[in-house]
Amino acid sequence: MINSYYYAGQPHATKFTLVLAEAALEMVPAEIAGHPAVSSRARRLGAKASETLLDRSYHHAAMKNLDESWKRGRPDIVHFALVEALATPLFINNKLDVFVHTYGDKVISVAEGLRIPKSFFRFEGVMTNLFRDGAVKSDDGKVLLEIQDGTLEELIRDLEPDRVVGLSSAGVQSSAQQVVAKNRAGHCAFVVGAFPKGHFSEKTTQLFNCTYSIQDIGLETHVVIARILYECEKAT
């Protein structure tokens, strides 16, 4: 699943991995593609309904009958999270690998040095192209983003981390500093949910060695990422 230009040959001890899991990022599913709220949005974008991102801001009425609709249709959460993670010194200095696992079991690989668009409108266009074409490349042909079918379990198996740490409000209370200090040896993969409400599925939590909550209140995804990655920077 993981192409050689992302991870092969890189010593585990020198890098951290961040995985955005069960991310609320997907194309409009076929069962609601004909709904007026979906078709009208697609017309405004000049695209087919099936080639637009599912977004609760526009598709709320259409999403009522979707399975686990409360957990889907928030691409903005993924956008905020990636803007935060890819702007950190940890990522810029090639000490962090970033992956996105989506609600529909697709895995997005992020190339080293990627700069994600700050504008959500541009991000939406990039993600639409990624889902359609399978990859986004630079003008000189370098693969910047790649998407493949894959479960979170398969991704973790390919990464072969020494520790898989889940971050959730349902986890054991601890500070971000303590979480990193306890799990900094070897290759540690931090998994953060990128969905609007609720908790990880049981299937996901079974993949964790441990689960922590770094605050006594629920924090937004990008805030959790900022706090954890800052502590990772301090630990390198």
Side-chain angles (χ1 to χ4, degrees):
M1 178 183 295
I2 303 173
N3 290 331
S4 60
Y5 52 79
Y6 289 116
Y7 217 86
Q10 297 171 359
H12 284 175
T14 62
K15 281 202 173 185
F16 294 97
T17 295
L18 172 68
V19 179
L20 304 179
E22 301 182 14
L25 178 69
E26 61 183 300
M27 303 305 285
V28 167
E31 59 263 41
I32 65 168
H35 191 282
V38 175
S39 56
S40 63
R41 169 66 175 166
R43 281 195 301 272
R44 287 196 294 272
L45 294 174
K48 297 179 181 178
S50 59
E51 295 179 352
T52 59
L53 292 182
L54 182 67
D55 192 328
R56 182 169 292 280
S57 296
Y58 306 104
H59 304 144
H60 177 75
M63 292 177 62
K64 291 180 180 179
N65 295 322
L66 285 180
D67 291 341
E68 295 186 303
S69 64
W70 49 270
K71 205 173 189 177
R72 302 166 67 178
R74 288 293 305 275
D76 58 304
I77 293 176
V78 182
H79 181 226
F80 281 140
L82 288 177
V83 167
E84 180 66 51
L86 304 192
T88 61
L90 201 66
F91 181 78
I92 293 169
N93 292 322
N94 298 328
K95 295 180 180 180
L96 175 71
D97 289 314
V98 178
F99 297 88
V100 179
H101 161 260
T102 73
Y103 175 86
D105 277 337
K106 293 184 180 294
V107 172
I108 299 172
S109 303
V110 177
E112 289 183 348
L114 178 68
R115 297 178 65 185
I116 207 76
K118 299 297 192 297
S119 160
F120 179 75
F121 178 76
R122 288 187 58 209
F123 173 80
E124 183 181 29
V126 169
M127 290 298 108
T128 299
N129 292 342
L130 177 63
F131 275 88
R132 183 191 64 207
D133 302 331
V136 173
K137 299 181 180 181
S138 64
D139 292 339
D140 60 2
K142 177 185 177 183
V143 177
L144 304 176
L145 293 164
E146 186 170 29
I147 189 168
Q148 299 175 335
D149 292 332
T151 64
L152 182 60
E153 182 178 9
E154 289 169 336
L155 173 61
I156 289 174
R157 184 173 65 237
D158 287 349
L159 289 171
E160 298 182 334
D162 299 301
R163 300 279 290 171
V164 181
V165 177
L167 294 163
S168 167
S169 59
V172 175
Q173 197 71 45
S174 185
S175 68
Q177 182 179 19
Q178 290 171 333
V179 170
V180 173
K182 292 175 183 176
N183 298 280
R184 60 179 293 187
H187 170 210
C188 183
F190 291 102
V191 182
V192 183
F195 44 85
K197 61 174 68 174
H199 302 293
F200 289 119
S201 66
E202 183 177 349
K203 184 177 180 181
T204 292
T205 57
Q206 290 176 348
L207 301 173
F208 302 157
N209 294 111
C210 49
T211 307
Y212 294 103
S213 171
I214 62 170
Q215 192 71 38
D216 56 1
I217 59 172
L219 296 176
E220 294 188 18
T221 300
H222 65 281
V223 177
V224 175
I225 288 171
R227 294 191 175 191
I228 285 294
L229 295 188
Y230 177 60
E231 295 301 332
C232 289
E233 290 169 14
K234 290 162 61 177
T236 58

